[in-house]
Amino acid sequence: QVQLVESGGGLVQAGGSLRLSCTASGRDFSDSVMGWFRKTPGKERALLAGISRRGFTLYHHDSVKGRFTISRDNAKNTVYLQMNDLRSEDTAVYYCAAGSGSILNNPSTYDMWGQGTQVTVAS
């Protein structure tokens, strides 16, 4: 039942960095596993990262491991995705997600998404 709103997307040159933010409404935030997905045209929404309810456990997909870092601040009802060394293939709409499950690397864990924010990496 949490409502999610992403921000921080934009245009960045290859090799640059960007930080996405997702602010949640409602008091259910701290009880939700949080994650980030992205979608490109013609492809399914792909899970990039997840974080446990208190932030003690992190998951990052191999495609972004070492470049992207998920974090959360429960006092601010906010989850972040720090993106470094951006590449052209990172261009996508990025979605914040909340989940009621516990398995961070399972896409089915997540059942709510924001509206998305566009990230474009220039060549």
Side-chain angles (χ1 to χ4, degrees):
Q1 62 183 25
V2 65
Q3 185 175 358
L4 307 172
V5 180
E6 302 94 338
S7 62
L11 176 65
V12 63
Q13 290 191 338
S17 297
L18 206 61
R19 187 178 75 161
L20 306 182
S21 299
C22 171
T23 299
S25 63
R27 62 173 185 168
D28 198 34
F29 177 79
S30 63
D31 197 41
S32 298
V33 168
M34 300 298 297
W36 287 94
F37 289 72
R38 69 184 178 190
K39 189 181 187 307
T40 56
K43 296 183 178 180
E44 295 182 354
R45 186 170 52 200
L47 175 62
L48 301 179
I51 187 166
S52 62
R53 290 168 170 83
R54 298 186 65 183
F56 295 153
T57 306
L58 308 179
Y59 160 74
H60 299 91
H61 190 271
D62 286 344
S63 64
V64 302
K65 189 179 300 181
R67 298 189 299 121
F68 292 10
T69 304
I70 189 172
S71 62
R72 69 190 296 166
D73 185 343
N74 287 354
K76 296 181 178 180
N77 283 2
T78 301
V79 62
Y80 306 94
L81 186 67
Q82 178 67 47
M83 304 184 294
N84 298 326
D85 191 25
L86 285 161
R87 305 164 182 171
S88 295
E89 55 263 39
D90 295 320
T91 295
V93 178
Y94 284 71
Y95 297 88
C96 176
S100 57
S102 298
I103 305 175
L104 299 179
N105 65 352
N106 185 348
S108 297
T109 292
Y110 308 91
D111 52 19
M112 297 187 66
W113 293 266
Q115 295 301 304
T117 184
Q118 176 71 46
V119 172
T120 302
V121 183
S123 61

